[in-house]
Amino acid sequence: KKNMPYFINKEKRSYSLIKDNEALIEMKYHKWSYAKGDCYVGEKFVSIKPQNVWMRKLDILKNNVDVGDIIFNWKGHIIIQIEDENYKMQEYLMKPNGFWKRNYTVYNSNEKVLFHLHPKFSWKTFGTNFTVEIEEFTFNDKELAFLEELMVYMVFGINLQMAQAGAAA
């Protein structure tokens, strides 16, 4: 069965994870900062904010409890460490591929590919939209819900990276 693709659409100060023309999660940025944002994942209020002024590491808070981090390394990778439902820390790695035509691949800690993010610049919103391609459709509903959450965190990281690169240029 061919899985329906996910899309991540950028709005003015937010972006939404879309599947079957329905917004599942909407991440809203704080004022002018791409380093702080909030969204609801199911019933939980999720907030992302930098740990310090360097913004190499961001905290992920669920209902004000620190459950993980978004970490940027010097290779341009984004690492997400997040607690699963059993309070065990899981680690995910996102690597950029390609130089001119860039896309991103997300791996779990066993180096298994989970999904790909394909960016496409939109002149209308002057931001980047993404198409998400899931590697294989053998995920149950709980795993899929978690992957959707992970997609939102990864795009948060990419957008921050792009904003910082733009500021440095």
Side-chain angles (χ1 to χ4, degrees):
K1 172 182 165 212
K2 184 92 180 92
N3 55 324
M4 283 300 294
Y6 288 89
F7 298 97
I8 292 167
N9 291 344
K10 170 113 176 48
E11 282 96 47
K12 201 176 193 121
R13 281 203 292 277
S14 67
Y15 61 88
S16 298
L17 175 65
I18 316 262
K19 184 183 184 189
D20 301 328
N21 294 323
E22 186 189 342
L24 304 177
I25 301 172
E26 184 188 9
M27 174 62 75
K28 292 183 188 317
Y29 289 106
H30 291 212
K31 295 213 166 85
W32 300 107
S33 174
Y34 275 105
K36 292 180 183 166
D38 304 314
C39 66
Y40 277 94
V41 175
E43 302 289 301
K44 292 196 164 74
F45 180 69
V46 176
S47 192
I48 299 176
K49 55 182 198 242
Q51 287 184 4
N52 58 35
V53 70
W54 309 114
M55 293 191 275
R56 305 299 313 146
K57 216 174 189 187
L58 307 174
D59 283 328
I60 300 171
L61 299 118
K62 280 190 186 174
N63 295 339
N64 291 320
V65 177
D66 191 339
V67 295
D69 297 308
I70 299 176
I71 303 160
F72 301 92
N73 73 13
W74 58 274
K75 291 180 185 167
H77 299 166
I78 297 173
I79 297 144
I80 293 190
Q81 295 172 333
I82 190 150
E83 276 180 8
D84 62 17
E85 66 275 3
N86 305 318
Y87 304 103
K88 275 184 59 189
M89 207 42 93
Q90 301 294 333
E91 191 166 287
Y92 301 90
L93 173 67
M94 191 210 67
K95 291 182 185 174
N97 312 310
F99 187 76
W100 299 112
K101 187 134 177 54
R102 180 156 273 197
N103 64 61
Y104 304 88
T105 304
V106 177
Y107 303 86
N108 68 11
S109 53
N110 303 324
E111 294 179 29
K112 178 180 184 256
V113 174
L114 299 176
F115 57 88
H116 304 278
L117 291 163
H118 302 282
K120 187 170 172 40
F121 187 79
S122 160
W123 286 102
K124 199 173 124 208
T125 59
F126 205 74
T128 305
N129 294 330
F130 294 86
T131 304
V132 185
E133 180 194 336
I134 295 181
E135 228 359 70
E136 51 191 60
F137 208 68
T138 52
F139 298 103
N140 64 36
D141 289 350
K142 209 172 183 181
E143 291 168 328
L144 211 51
F146 184 74
L147 276 188
E148 292 165 356
E149 193 179 327
L150 196 57
M151 291 170 195
V152 170
Y153 301 149
M154 288 298 181
V155 167
F156 193 94
I158 293 169
N159 285 340
L160 180 58
Q161 261 183 344
M162 289 196 287
Q164 288 174 326

